[in-house]
Amino acid sequence: DAKTTQPTSMDCAEGRAANLPCNHSTISGNEYVYWYRQIHSQGPQYIIHGLKNNETNEMASLIITEDRKSSTLILPHATLRDTAVYYCIVRVAHRDDKIIFGKGTRLHILP
Amino acid sequence: GAVVSQHPSRVICKSGTSVKIECRSLDFQATTMFWYRQFPKKSLMLMATSNEGSKATYEQGVEKDKFLINHASLTLSTLTVTSAHPEDSSFYICSARDRGGSPLHFGNGTRLTVT
């Protein structure tokens, strides 16, 4: 079973920040939080990952709570092309452990 | 960045025939690749873990004689759907990790339609 829980769907207005939450209350000390997204009929795309510090890259920001039991992916200025299913996953980095996907959050960007 | 390529992107075949899907890591070596299938509006379901030079590890409920996996080199894994039936129609996706890196990278998937 997936180790994370996410809302089934969310709406966000174009140009606004999209904040996608994820709960991972059973995360282990050596597990990272990874975010992927899947645009319709494509393979999942890596977005960002982090261990305990907040992270930012050209796509998004990742905010991880101090107890590491939850995190939030932030798309700062959502566009219509950000409409996708977003998956939050926890796994150990630098190892070939299999990933079990949960149901993810279907994000709709509204014009 | 790391790129995983799948081929073909779409394939239509008749019932009873076999179909081979290729997954290549283009700019890195991968000792392990993963194969997923996905039904419409559903999440990805892990089918098997492909290990270079050894037998694949299949998830519970996945028929290993139906879905043959070969990982003959560090850059290529293949999934063969044998004696395909319409219920095998699905979206098949592979993924791999650069041994020196961290995130898994995914191919763009193969949509199989069995008529």
Side-chain angles (χ1 to χ4, degrees):
Chain A
D1 291 336
K3 301 178 184 179
T4 63
T5 56
Q6 299 175 251
T8 303
S9 66
M10 292 182 63
D11 292 339
C12 178
E14 189 178 17
R16 302 297 294 270
N19 298 289
L20 292 91
C22 178
N23 286 325
H24 31 80
S25 57
T26 61
I27 192 170
S28 301
N30 61 346
E31 287 183 316
Y32 285 65
V33 180
Y34 287 80
W35 283 83
Y36 290 82
R37 72 180 183 184
Q38 187 178 25
I39 296 170
H40 183 62
S41 294
Q42 296 182 22
Q45 175 190 23
Y46 165 75
I47 301 173
I48 198 168
H49 74 283
L51 182 63
K52 53 184 178 180
N53 296 323
N54 297 337
E55 302 288 344
T56 295
N57 63 20
E58 64 278 4
M59 290 182 68
S61 295
L62 174 60
I63 309 298
I64 303 174
T65 59
E66 194 168 340
D67 63 7
R68 303 211 318 124
K69 293 186 177 182
S70 65
S71 61
T72 301
L73 178 75
I74 302 172
L75 308 178
H77 305 288
T79 71
L80 296 177
R81 289 183 294 183
D82 292 321
T83 293
V85 178
Y86 287 76
Y87 295 99
C88 168
I89 293 159
V90 296
R91 63 182 288 264
V92 179
H94 303 283
R95 271 173 36 180
D96 287 321
D97 295 350
K98 59 189 180 184
I99 287 181
I100 304 298
F101 281 81
K103 297 182 178 179
T105 296
R106 188 171 295 274
L107 177 66
H108 298 276
I109 305 301
L110 307 174
Chain B
V3 177
V4 175
S5 175
Q6 264 186 259
H7 179 80
S9 57
R10 290 179 179 272
V11 58
I12 301 172
C13 71
K14 294 185 177 180
S15 288
T17 61
S18 295
V19 174
K20 180 185 286 187
I21 302 169
E22 293 187 346
C23 179
R24 294 182 184 273
S25 54
L26 295 186
D27 52 359
F28 65 97
Q29 294 183 331
T31 54
T32 302
M33 293 185 176
F34 301 93
W35 287 96
Y36 294 83
R37 70 186 295 183
Q38 185 176 34
F39 292 106
K41 296 192 182 300
K42 299 293 185 181
S43 186
L44 286 78
M45 183 189 78
L46 180 66
M47 299 175 66
T49 302
S50 169
N51 304 297
E52 187 268 335
S54 64
K55 292 182 179 180
T57 303
Y58 290 83
E59 295 299 302
Q60 190 173 7
V62 178
E63 300 176 58
K64 61 181 181 181
D65 295 330
K66 172 77 171 173
F67 300 99
L68 299 179
I69 291 173
N70 183 277
H71 193 153
S73 78
L74 288 172
T75 60
L76 174 63
S77 175
T78 60
L79 168 67
T80 301
V81 183
T82 63
S83 187
H85 288 98
E87 56 264 32
D88 297 325
S89 298
S90 190
F91 192 51
Y92 293 87
I93 306 168
C94 70
S95 70
R97 182 183 68 85
D98 182 349
R99 286 184 296 179
S102 174
L104 281 176
H105 297 276
F106 290 80
N108 255 338
T110 297
R111 186 161 304 281
L112 170 64
T113 303
V114 184
T115 61

PDB file of all heavy atoms in Angstrom, chain A residues 50-73:
ATOM      1  N   GLY A  50      12.779  15.985  -1.316  1.00  0.00           N
ATOM      2  CA  GLY A  50      13.470  16.547  -0.161  1.00  0.00           C
ATOM      3  C   GLY A  50      13.449  15.591   1.009  1.00  0.00           C
ATOM      4  O   GLY A  50      12.631  14.667   1.063  1.00  0.00           O
ATOM      5  N   LEU A  51      14.325  15.843   1.969  1.00  0.00           N
ATOM      6  CA  LEU A  51      14.411  15.001   3.161  1.00  0.00           C
ATOM      7  C   LEU A  51      13.766  15.691   4.356  1.00  0.00           C
ATOM      8  O   LEU A  51      12.843  15.156   4.954  1.00  0.00           O
ATOM      9  CB  LEU A  51      15.877  14.679   3.468  1.00  0.00           C
ATOM     10  CG  LEU A  51      16.119  13.766   4.669  1.00  0.00           C
ATOM     11  CD1 LEU A  51      15.517  12.386   4.440  1.00  0.00           C
ATOM     12  CD2 LEU A  51      17.615  13.663   4.962  1.00  0.00           C
ATOM     13  N   LYS A  52      14.272  16.837   4.718  1.00  0.00           N
ATOM     14  CA  LYS A  52      13.662  17.572   5.830  1.00  0.00           C
ATOM     15  C   LYS A  52      13.696  19.081   5.618  1.00  0.00           C
ATOM     16  O   LYS A  52      12.872  19.797   6.161  1.00  0.00           O
ATOM     17  CB  LYS A  52      14.324  17.210   7.141  1.00  0.00           C
ATOM     18  CG  LYS A  52      15.836  17.362   7.166  1.00  0.00           C
ATOM     19  CD  LYS A  52      16.375  16.884   8.510  1.00  0.00           C
ATOM     20  CE  LYS A  52      17.901  16.974   8.547  1.00  0.00           C
ATOM     21  NZ  LYS A  52      18.443  16.514   9.846  1.00  0.00           N
ATOM     22  N   ASN A  53      14.635  19.555   4.828  1.00  0.00           N
ATOM     23  CA  ASN A  53      14.668  20.986   4.535  1.00  0.00           C
ATOM     24  C   ASN A  53      13.741  21.318   3.377  1.00  0.00           C
ATOM     25  O   ASN A  53      13.457  20.471   2.540  1.00  0.00           O
ATOM     26  CB  ASN A  53      16.091  21.410   4.177  1.00  0.00           C
ATOM     27  CG  ASN A  53      17.046  21.222   5.336  1.00  0.00           C
ATOM     28  OD1 ASN A  53      16.683  21.435   6.483  1.00  0.00           O
ATOM     29  ND2 ASN A  53      18.265  20.805   5.025  1.00  0.00           N
ATOM     30  N   ASN A  54      13.267  22.532   3.355  1.00  0.00           N
ATOM     31  CA  ASN A  54      12.454  22.967   2.233  1.00  0.00           C
ATOM     32  C   ASN A  54      13.331  23.040   0.986  1.00  0.00           C
ATOM     33  O   ASN A  54      14.514  23.369   1.056  1.00  0.00           O
ATOM     34  CB  ASN A  54      11.832  24.327   2.531  1.00  0.00           C
ATOM     35  CG  ASN A  54      10.890  24.274   3.724  1.00  0.00           C
ATOM     36  OD1 ASN A  54      10.370  23.216   4.067  1.00  0.00           O
ATOM     37  ND2 ASN A  54      10.694  25.408   4.352  1.00  0.00           N
ATOM     38  N   GLU A  55      12.742  22.724  -0.137  1.00  0.00           N
ATOM     39  CA  GLU A  55      13.476  22.710  -1.396  1.00  0.00           C
ATOM     40  C   GLU A  55      12.741  23.530  -2.439  1.00  0.00           C
ATOM     41  O   GLU A  55      11.512  23.619  -2.416  1.00  0.00           O
ATOM     42  CB  GLU A  55      13.639  21.277  -1.912  1.00  0.00           C
ATOM     43  CG  GLU A  55      14.340  20.315  -0.970  1.00  0.00           C
ATOM     44  CD  GLU A  55      15.824  20.568  -0.845  1.00  0.00           C
ATOM     45  OE1 GLU A  55      16.380  21.291  -1.710  1.00  0.00           O
ATOM     46  OE2 GLU A  55      16.459  20.048   0.101  1.00  0.00           O
ATOM     47  N   THR A  56      13.504  24.095  -3.354  1.00  0.00           N
ATOM     48  CA  THR A  56      12.926  24.864  -4.458  1.00  0.00           C
ATOM     49  C   THR A  56      13.725  24.595  -5.718  1.00  0.00           C
ATOM     50  O   THR A  56      14.951  24.529  -5.671  1.00  0.00           O
ATOM     51  CB  THR A  56      12.940  26.374  -4.150  1.00  0.00           C
ATOM     52  OG1 THR A  56      12.083  26.638  -3.038  1.00  0.00           O
ATOM     53  CG2 THR A  56      12.418  27.182  -5.343  1.00  0.00           C
ATOM     54  N   ASN A  57      13.024  24.429  -6.808  1.00  0.00           N
ATOM     55  CA  ASN A  57      13.682  24.367  -8.106  1.00  0.00           C
ATOM     56  C   ASN A  57      12.862  25.175  -9.105  1.00  0.00           C
ATOM     57  O   ASN A  57      11.941  25.908  -8.718  1.00  0.00           O
ATOM     58  CB  ASN A  57      13.919  22.923  -8.567  1.00  0.00           C
ATOM     59  CG  ASN A  57      12.642  22.139  -8.771  1.00  0.00           C
ATOM     60  OD1 ASN A  57      11.560  22.721  -8.943  1.00  0.00           O
ATOM     61  ND2 ASN A  57      12.762  20.819  -8.749  1.00  0.00           N
ATOM     62  N   GLU A  58      13.181  25.033 -10.379  1.00  0.00           N
ATOM     63  CA  GLU A  58      12.523  25.860 -11.378  1.00  0.00           C
ATOM     64  C   GLU A  58      11.055  25.495 -11.564  1.00  0.00           C
ATOM     65  O   GLU A  58      10.297  26.267 -12.159  1.00  0.00           O
ATOM     66  CB  GLU A  58      13.253  25.746 -12.720  1.00  0.00           C
ATOM     67  CG  GLU A  58      13.220  24.361 -13.350  1.00  0.00           C
ATOM     68  CD  GLU A  58      14.260  23.417 -12.781  1.00  0.00           C
ATOM     69  OE1 GLU A  58      14.971  23.804 -11.821  1.00  0.00           O
ATOM     70  OE2 GLU A  58      14.365  22.290 -13.284  1.00  0.00           O
ATOM     71  N   MET A  59      10.669  24.343 -11.080  1.00  0.00           N
ATOM     72  CA  MET A  59       9.278  23.909 -11.251  1.00  0.00           C
ATOM     73  C   MET A  59       8.411  24.224 -10.046  1.00  0.00           C
ATOM     74  O   MET A  59       7.231  24.580 -10.203  1.00  0.00           O
ATOM     75  CB  MET A  59       9.214  22.410 -11.520  1.00  0.00           C
ATOM     76  CG  MET A  59       9.742  21.979 -12.869  1.00  0.00           C
ATOM     77  SD  MET A  59       9.556  20.201 -13.103  1.00  0.00           S
ATOM     78  CE  MET A  59       7.787  20.045 -13.217  1.00  0.00           C
ATOM     79  N   ALA A  60       8.948  24.015  -8.847  1.00  0.00           N
ATOM     80  CA  ALA A  60       8.096  24.060  -7.673  1.00  0.00           C
ATOM     81  C   ALA A  60       8.918  24.240  -6.401  1.00  0.00           C
ATOM     82  O   ALA A  60      10.145  24.216  -6.434  1.00  0.00           O
ATOM     83  CB  ALA A  60       7.308  22.751  -7.580  1.00  0.00           C
ATOM     84  N   SER A  61       8.178  24.406  -5.305  1.00  0.00           N
ATOM     85  CA  SER A  61       8.780  24.406  -3.971  1.00  0.00           C
ATOM     86  C   SER A  61       8.170  23.283  -3.164  1.00  0.00           C
ATOM     87  O   SER A  61       6.999  22.931  -3.358  1.00  0.00           O
ATOM     88  CB  SER A  61       8.548  25.737  -3.265  1.00  0.00           C
ATOM     89  OG  SER A  61       9.207  26.792  -3.929  1.00  0.00           O
ATOM     90  N   LEU A  62       8.961  22.733  -2.271  1.00  0.00           N
ATOM     91  CA  LEU A  62       8.508  21.662  -1.395  1.00  0.00           C
ATOM     92  C   LEU A  62       8.715  22.100   0.038  1.00  0.00           C
ATOM     93  O   LEU A  62       9.845  22.425   0.432  1.00  0.00           O
ATOM     94  CB  LEU A  62       9.289  20.379  -1.678  1.00  0.00           C
ATOM     95  CG  LEU A  62       9.040  19.195  -0.749  1.00  0.00           C
ATOM     96  CD1 LEU A  62       7.578  18.772  -0.790  1.00  0.00           C
ATOM     97  CD2 LEU A  62       9.942  18.017  -1.113  1.00  0.00           C
ATOM     98  N   ILE A  63       7.621  22.112   0.789  1.00  0.00           N
ATOM     99  CA  ILE A  63       7.672  22.486   2.202  1.00  0.00           C
ATOM    100  C   ILE A  63       7.395  21.230   3.016  1.00  0.00           C
ATOM    101  O   ILE A  63       6.338  20.619   2.859  1.00  0.00           O
ATOM    102  CB  ILE A  63       6.626  23.568   2.544  1.00  0.00           C
ATOM    103  CG1 ILE A  63       6.737  24.752   1.570  1.00  0.00           C
ATOM    104  CG2 ILE A  63       6.797  24.014   3.981  1.00  0.00           C
ATOM    105  CD1 ILE A  63       8.056  25.473   1.612  1.00  0.00           C
ATOM    106  N   ILE A  64       8.312  20.849   3.873  1.00  0.00           N
ATOM    107  CA  ILE A  64       8.169  19.658   4.711  1.00  0.00           C
ATOM    108  C   ILE A  64       8.063  20.119   6.157  1.00  0.00           C
ATOM    109  O   ILE A  64       8.875  20.926   6.621  1.00  0.00           O
ATOM    110  CB  ILE A  64       9.379  18.716   4.539  1.00  0.00           C
ATOM    111  CG1 ILE A  64       9.535  18.324   3.065  1.00  0.00           C
ATOM    112  CG2 ILE A  64       9.213  17.461   5.402  1.00  0.00           C
ATOM    113  CD1 ILE A  64      10.780  17.515   2.774  1.00  0.00           C
ATOM    114  N   THR A  65       7.057  19.619   6.865  1.00  0.00           N
ATOM    115  CA  THR A  65       6.877  20.008   8.260  1.00  0.00           C
ATOM    116  C   THR A  65       8.051  19.511   9.103  1.00  0.00           C
ATOM    117  O   THR A  65       8.747  18.558   8.729  1.00  0.00           O
ATOM    118  CB  THR A  65       5.565  19.470   8.821  1.00  0.00           C
ATOM    119  OG1 THR A  65       5.564  18.040   8.707  1.00  0.00           O
ATOM    120  CG2 THR A  65       4.385  20.045   8.082  1.00  0.00           C
ATOM    121  N   GLU A  66       8.207  20.147  10.257  1.00  0.00           N
ATOM    122  CA  GLU A  66       9.357  19.815  11.081  1.00  0.00           C
ATOM    123  C   GLU A  66       9.341  18.356  11.540  1.00  0.00           C
ATOM    124  O   GLU A  66      10.385  17.711  11.643  1.00  0.00           O
ATOM    125  CB  GLU A  66       9.382  20.746  12.315  1.00  0.00           C
ATOM    126  CG  GLU A  66      10.690  20.719  13.069  1.00  0.00           C
ATOM    127  CD  GLU A  66      10.787  21.838  14.097  1.00  0.00           C
ATOM    128  OE1 GLU A  66      10.038  22.828  13.974  1.00  0.00           O
ATOM    129  OE2 GLU A  66      11.616  21.715  15.016  1.00  0.00           O
ATOM    130  N   ASP A  67       8.140  17.818  11.796  1.00  0.00           N
ATOM    131  CA  ASP A  67       8.052  16.413  12.207  1.00  0.00           C
ATOM    132  C   ASP A  67       8.073  15.463  11.017  1.00  0.00           C
ATOM    133  O   ASP A  67       8.029  14.237  11.196  1.00  0.00           O
ATOM    134  CB  ASP A  67       6.810  16.165  13.066  1.00  0.00           C
ATOM    135  CG  ASP A  67       5.513  16.418  12.317  1.00  0.00           C
ATOM    136  OD1 ASP A  67       5.553  16.663  11.094  1.00  0.00           O
ATOM    137  OD2 ASP A  67       4.444  16.394  12.946  1.00  0.00           O
ATOM    138  N   ARG A  68       8.126  16.022   9.823  1.00  0.00           N
ATOM    139  CA  ARG A  68       8.202  15.270   8.568  1.00  0.00           C
ATOM    140  C   ARG A  68       6.985  14.396   8.292  1.00  0.00           C
ATOM    141  O   ARG A  68       7.015  13.545   7.428  1.00  0.00           O
ATOM    142  CB  ARG A  68       9.469  14.412   8.507  1.00  0.00           C
ATOM    143  CG  ARG A  68      10.741  15.164   8.675  1.00  0.00           C
ATOM    144  CD  ARG A  68      11.930  14.609   7.944  1.00  0.00           C
ATOM    145  NE  ARG A  68      12.037  13.161   8.003  1.00  0.00           N
ATOM    146  CZ  ARG A  68      12.110  12.383   6.930  1.00  0.00           C
ATOM    147  NH1 ARG A  68      12.082  12.904   5.711  1.00  0.00           N
ATOM    148  NH2 ARG A  68      12.214  11.072   7.060  1.00  0.00           N
ATOM    149  N   LYS A  69       5.898  14.635   8.970  1.00  0.00           N
ATOM    150  CA  LYS A  69       4.722  13.801   8.757  1.00  0.00           C
ATOM    151  C   LYS A  69       3.838  14.322   7.646  1.00  0.00           C
ATOM    152  O   LYS A  69       2.855  13.668   7.264  1.00  0.00           O
ATOM    153  CB  LYS A  69       3.928  13.680  10.059  1.00  0.00           C
ATOM    154  CG  LYS A  69       4.681  12.891  11.133  1.00  0.00           C
ATOM    155  CD  LYS A  69       3.832  12.665  12.355  1.00  0.00           C
ATOM    156  CE  LYS A  69       4.605  11.812  13.372  1.00  0.00           C
ATOM    157  NZ  LYS A  69       3.800  11.510  14.581  1.00  0.00           N
ATOM    158  N   SER A  70       4.125  15.474   7.136  1.00  0.00           N
ATOM    159  CA  SER A  70       3.366  15.983   6.000  1.00  0.00           C
ATOM    160  C   SER A  70       4.216  16.968   5.202  1.00  0.00           C
ATOM    161  O   SER A  70       5.256  17.451   5.684  1.00  0.00           O
ATOM    162  CB  SER A  70       2.068  16.661   6.449  1.00  0.00           C
ATOM    163  OG  SER A  70       2.368  17.811   7.202  1.00  0.00           O
ATOM    164  N   SER A  71       3.755  17.221   3.992  1.00  0.00           N
ATOM    165  CA  SER A  71       4.473  18.158   3.131  1.00  0.00           C
ATOM    166  C   SER A  71       3.489  18.840   2.192  1.00  0.00           C
ATOM    167  O   SER A  71       2.338  18.391   2.039  1.00  0.00           O
ATOM    168  CB  SER A  71       5.574  17.456   2.339  1.00  0.00           C
ATOM    169  OG  SER A  71       5.030  16.452   1.490  1.00  0.00           O
ATOM    170  N   THR A  72       3.946  19.909   1.572  1.00  0.00           N
ATOM    171  CA  THR A  72       3.125  20.638   0.614  1.00  0.00           C
ATOM    172  C   THR A  72       3.962  20.968  -0.607  1.00  0.00           C
ATOM    173  O   THR A  72       5.079  21.492  -0.482  1.00  0.00           O
ATOM    174  CB  THR A  72       2.590  21.951   1.211  1.00  0.00           C
ATOM    175  OG1 THR A  72       1.803  21.653   2.370  1.00  0.00           O
ATOM    176  CG2 THR A  72       1.731  22.704   0.199  1.00  0.00           C
ATOM    177  N   LEU A  73       3.439  20.637  -1.756  1.00  0.00           N
ATOM    178  CA  LEU A  73       4.062  21.026  -3.016  1.00  0.00           C
ATOM    179  C   LEU A  73       3.417  22.328  -3.453  1.00  0.00           C
ATOM    180  O   LEU A  73       2.195  22.441  -3.486  1.00  0.00           O
ATOM    181  CB  LEU A  73       3.841  19.956  -4.078  1.00  0.00           C
ATOM    182  CG  LEU A  73       4.410  20.287  -5.457  1.00  0.00           C
ATOM    183  CD1 LEU A  73       5.934  20.138  -5.453  1.00  0.00           C
ATOM    184  CD2 LEU A  73       3.801  19.394  -6.532  1.00  0.00           C
TER     185      LEU A  73
END
